[in-house]
Amino acid sequence: MGSWRGTAGLIVISISFLAIVSRYGLTIPPPWPPEEAGISLAARQLAEGKGLASPLVAGLVPGAEKKSLVPIVLTKVAYSCWGRIFGFELESLRWFSRILATAVLWLMFFLAVRGGLSEYSSLLIALLTSLDLYFQVTANIVRPEMVTLVALLLSVHCFLNGEKRTPSVWYLASGFFSAISLLSHFLLGLFSGVYMFCRLIRNGRGDHVVLWSVPVLSFCSAWLLFSLDDPDLLIAQSTSLITADLPRSWISVVACVLGFHLIRSDFMPGNSPVWFVVVCLWIVALSRRHLDPFFWPAGLVAWSYLIFFVRSHTWYWGFFTPLGYFLLVHLASRLLRETSRGVVALVSLFLLFWIGYQTQRVLLYLKSLETIESENAMFLRDLSHLVPQGATILSFARPDPFFYFSQWRQDVKIYEWPYTTIPGWRLSQFLNQIDGIVMVQPVFIKELSRFYSPHHVVKRWLLRSAPSAYQPTIFVVRDRVKPWR
């Protein structure tokens, strides 16, 4: 599949993409940085044989000091294997994510070619994805999304081989990669896994269903047996996780599903299409048989879109971006085959405009990096001077001070706010044991201020994580120690 022209184009896109995201470096942090610190530390502990404990949230998440039963274990294993070879520094682990993201571009290209698109249309998918700021940010952080997406796409490719080739071992391989995606990030792997299972049932081959299901059931059973070793801990952590995943209001769900999260402001990247419109167009076209028979993996996009009914985190949009552009270009290609030259010219002009707009947004971010970097460095130096010797602090800031303090202030013990549902009694007990909090101000006011009083703000910073997006961050200490009742 693919000629030398397609391969050459992919190489150019891949090198340009890696150059851009590596230039971002540590400057543009993720919106909730504790995830990076948690996975980095968990990967190191696995490599050292210390198990799956999560000490950064000990005291906040039940049993975190013993083991973490959040089903992203294979993500931690993957980063652990990488860290054994290349080191556990943040920049090294981010390079693993960047390389996986580049693999996504290649896998999407070959998937599009298999679906009947021309090489130029397939390259367009890779180009649009590589220029998307959501995808760039998600590809530049230590998170499960890229591990899960690579496993998912490999599963789809093996599934397609199983439909067209013999032996049926391809279905076994597809189930193996589906199992990896499930235990790399259960929520992201769930919808795609269900969709492929339904495809197998529709095909009516019982032996294929069994072959695909064996590795999935084996992996999930092994994880369940491991978790049931401490059922009370499993129930406590699962309850906390599920409660945190439930939407706070129906308004936020509707806004997210309609794509408002993508176009709300410059606080987070926003050069993606409104995917709700794209998914709806596909559903309508398919229901009216305008696209029948249609390349079935396109339906995977609609199923994957269901994640936004549950969570709306920025990195989930980065996970969805390549799937969304795959559907958009595939849909446009099918529709343009039966339209006039004028419509083709109009669509072509729009695509050129969109590529130019994306490029302009990326250049704007790159231009702002030096200023953002200097502001972040000043914040970390200020905080380091403010925190007393041997202190214990709770962190939820951008940039995350964990990595800076790990190098320059090893006397300071840092816990990370997990931004999950924590009972008031547990939170109060924990806050009585710390010396200060460095946190994004709105989160502190909403989540902690009533449990951490009386207190005063030692210093306030106005930091940026995007060109014109300012976020207030504060360092707070108690005026006096007040036991919890």
Side-chain angles (χ1 to χ4, degrees):
M1 286 185 297
S3 68
W4 67 269
R5 289 187 295 271
T7 303
L10 268 177
I11 291 174
V12 171
I13 291 173
S14 300
I15 293 175
S16 301
F17 171 75
L18 284 172
I20 290 172
V21 294
S22 62
R23 176 66 183 95
Y24 286 156
L26 305 180
T27 306
I28 298 185
W32 288 279
E35 296 286 344
E36 286 198 295
I39 292 178
S40 301
L41 187 58
R44 182 189 293 270
Q45 290 188 151
L46 275 176
E48 296 172 351
K50 297 180 180 178
L52 285 170
S54 297
L56 291 182
V57 292
L60 291 168
V61 175
E65 65 281 355
K66 292 190 285 185
K67 68 172 74 169
S68 172
L69 299 179
V70 179
I72 60 170
V73 60
L74 293 185
T75 293
K76 297 176 182 178
V77 170
Y79 280 105
S80 179
C81 293
W82 175 273
R84 279 176 178 266
I85 302 172
F86 300 102
F88 292 94
E89 295 76 18
L90 180 59
E91 185 67 4
S92 170
L93 295 178
R94 281 182 167 180
W95 264 107
F96 180 51
S97 185
R98 295 163 189 164
I99 291 172
L100 289 176
T102 306
V104 168
L105 298 179
W106 284 71
L107 289 169
M108 291 304 305
F109 171 82
F110 290 118
L111 183 62
V113 171
R114 297 183 75 156
L117 290 183
S118 68
E119 285 191 342
Y120 297 109
S121 296
S122 302
L123 282 174
L124 180 61
I125 295 173
L127 176 62
L128 291 171
T129 301
S130 69
L131 288 174
D132 189 278
L133 283 166
Y134 275 107
F135 185 73
Q136 290 179 0
V137 171
T138 305
N140 202 41
I141 57 178
V142 182
R143 282 276 311 173
E145 281 70 28
M146 290 300 112
V147 178
T148 307
L149 188 52
V150 167
L152 165 61
L153 293 174
L154 288 173
S155 177
V156 172
H157 278 283
C158 290
F159 199 110
L160 291 170
N161 285 340
E163 289 185 331
K164 296 181 180 180
R165 302 179 184 180
T166 55
S168 298
V169 70
W170 285 111
Y171 286 110
L172 188 66
S174 177
F176 173 77
F177 287 116
S178 286
I180 291 178
S181 69
L182 273 172
L183 291 184
S184 296
H185 192 299
F186 187 79
L187 179 61
L188 297 178
L190 177 63
F191 294 105
S192 56
V194 170
Y195 181 75
M196 282 189 280
F197 182 76
C198 292
R199 174 75 182 179
L200 279 171
I201 297 296
R202 181 182 176 186
N203 288 347
R205 288 291 301 270
D207 56 334
H208 293 166
V209 175
V210 172
L211 282 170
W212 188 89
S213 301
V214 163
V216 173
L217 293 176
S218 299
F219 274 58
C220 292
S221 297
W223 177 250
L224 185 60
L225 287 174
F226 172 76
S227 302
L228 289 177
D229 180 59
D230 193 339
D232 294 334
L233 182 59
L234 175 63
I235 293 172
Q237 291 189 3
S238 299
T239 302
S240 176
L241 183 65
I242 292 172
T243 306
D245 282 346
L246 293 175
R248 302 292 178 93
S249 70
W250 286 109
I251 295 176
S252 63
V253 174
V254 173
C256 178
V257 169
L258 292 180
F260 293 162
H261 184 75
L262 295 175
I263 58 176
R264 56 181 184 177
S265 71
D266 204 17
F267 175 58
M268 279 297 121
N271 66 345
S272 296
V274 180
W275 295 121
F276 176 75
V277 176
V278 178
V279 172
C280 285
L281 284 174
W282 176 81
I283 293 173
V284 171
L286 191 63
S287 65
R288 295 184 178 182
R289 299 188 179 277
H290 293 315
L291 300 174
D292 192 34
F294 194 66
F295 186 49
W296 69 261
L300 186 66
V301 183
W303 276 73
S304 299
Y305 195 78
L306 294 175
I307 60 176
F308 302 117
F309 286 82
V310 184
R311 301 296 293 272
S312 61
H313 289 327
T314 301
W315 43 72
Y316 287 2
W317 291 111
F319 171 89
F320 183 82
T321 292
L323 301 175
Y325 282 117
F326 167 75
L327 181 57
L328 176 63
V329 176
H330 215 298
L331 182 65
S333 177
R334 285 296 183 105
L335 293 177
L336 287 175
R337 290 178 185 177
E338 301 178 4
T339 55
S340 64
R341 292 183 178 179
V343 175
V344 173
L346 187 62
V347 171
S348 300
L349 285 174
F350 172 77
L351 287 174
L352 286 173
F353 164 78
W354 190 257
I355 292 172
Y357 172 69
Q358 284 188 304
T359 304
Q360 180 266 335
R361 290 279 291 169
V362 171
L363 291 175
L364 179 63
Y365 269 70
L366 292 173
K367 184 179 178 181
S368 304
L369 287 182
E370 187 174 343
T371 302
I372 296 174
E373 188 174 25
S374 63
E375 292 174 355
N376 287 347
M378 184 178 298
F379 158 71
L380 293 171
R381 287 195 300 269
D382 287 351
L383 183 64
S384 178
H385 290 137
L386 291 173
V387 176
Q389 191 78 16
T392 300
I393 63 173
L394 176 65
S395 171
F396 188 81
R398 289 188 292 269
D400 183 12
F402 173 81
F403 299 98
Y404 182 88
F405 275 58
S406 297
Q407 183 177 4
W408 302 106
R409 288 293 309 274
Q410 296 180 8
D411 60 292
V412 177
K413 184 174 182 59
I414 294 183
Y415 290 94
E416 300 279 7
W417 172 249
Y419 209 75
T420 186
T421 302
I422 302 171
W425 65 268
R426 180 184 295 277
L427 185 56
S428 296
Q429 285 184 339
F430 175 82
L431 293 178
N432 278 323
Q433 303 170 14
I434 64 173
D435 300 301
I437 299 173
V438 56
M439 185 168 284
V440 174
Q441 188 172 4
V443 176
F444 174 79
I445 293 173
K446 180 181 178 181
E447 303 287 347
L448 300 182
S449 59
R450 64 185 183 276
F451 298 101
Y452 200 70
S453 184
H455 59 261
H456 74 274
V457 177
V458 178
K459 189 162 184 177
R460 182 179 185 271
W461 300 267
L462 202 57
L463 302 174
R464 289 190 291 178
S465 57
S468 57
Y470 293 89
Q471 184 72 31
T473 300
I474 54 177
F475 179 56
V476 183
V477 297
R478 268 192 173 143
D479 289 332
R480 57 187 175 88
V481 177
K482 183 179 180 181
W484 174 79
R485 289 184 175 88

